[in-house]
Amino acid sequence: ERQKAEESLRLRLALGEIIASLSTRLVSVAPRNIDDVLQGALQEVRTLIGAEHVSMFQIDEDANGLHLSTLWSTRGPTPFPPGVSSISVRKLSTILGQLRQLKSVEVPSARDLPPEATFERNLMKERQFGAMLLVPFLLDKRTVGYIAFAFKDEKARWSKDIISLFK
């Protein structure tokens, strides 16, 4: 139990350092380099938490959809997978509703998704994701997108204090 608490604290501190560093870099970076800074930070977080994939989706209100803006995998940056660079908001209504309410979404396994989350379940099976953690990406206290971390293995639930660091 003590070892688990120490590991959680180590992860919290390391994640806090990455987020603080990202904040500092974003203040001084030229607008044309923001994507590079975000990609670097997402790669650091992916490595730290042991995710096989991390992606960042931006909500496109005009198109009523989501646009995949960044995708990292254990093999480095990869091109957008066919058919996944843009997703209709209707397909993600279950999860997107929670993200819009500024709630993170933990999916320990595809089995834990509600019956109406057909798209998400099929995506997890197709991509062979065992678990996912989705965190809203906020701007002025509203959700403008989300970051999704995917794991090959099913994972235990994340602590609330770790998830709160992403907000």
Side-chain angles (χ1 to χ4, degrees), residues 42-136:
L42 288 175
Q43 171 66 6
E44 287 180 60
V45 173
R46 185 200 61 75
T47 301
L48 176 69
I49 65 175
E52 278 77 21
H53 299 271
V54 61
S55 51
M56 185 165 59
F57 287 86
Q58 294 174 319
I59 297 172
D60 183 349
E61 298 291 351
D62 295 332
N64 200 25
L66 299 170
H67 173 71
L68 178 61
S69 61
T70 303
L71 174 65
W72 271 92
S73 77
T74 53
R75 295 175 301 280
T78 58
F80 296 158
V84 182
S85 63
S86 183
I87 299 172
S88 166
V89 168
R90 288 184 305 243
K91 290 183 178 181
L92 293 173
S93 60
T94 303
I95 287 179
L96 194 58
Q98 294 176 51
L99 293 166
R100 285 184 189 257
Q101 294 174 16
L102 310 182
K103 295 179 183 175
S104 296
V105 178
E106 298 174 72
V107 184
S109 75
R111 294 185 309 271
D112 295 310
L113 288 165
E116 63 273 13
T118 306
F119 178 80
E120 294 92 330
R121 187 176 303 99
N122 289 340
L123 182 66
M124 286 183 73
K125 287 179 182 177
E126 178 184 304
R127 295 277 169 213
Q128 300 177 345
F129 295 155
M132 291 181 69
L133 171 64
L134 298 99
V135 181

Side-chain angles (χ1 to χ4, degrees), residues 7-27:
E7 179 61 23
S8 178
L9 181 57
R10 184 196 65 75
L11 178 63
R12 181 178 169 78
L13 290 172
L15 190 55
E17 288 175 14
I18 291 170
I19 293 169
S21 173
L22 173 62
S23 297
T24 301
R25 287 183 276 173
L26 286 175
V27 168

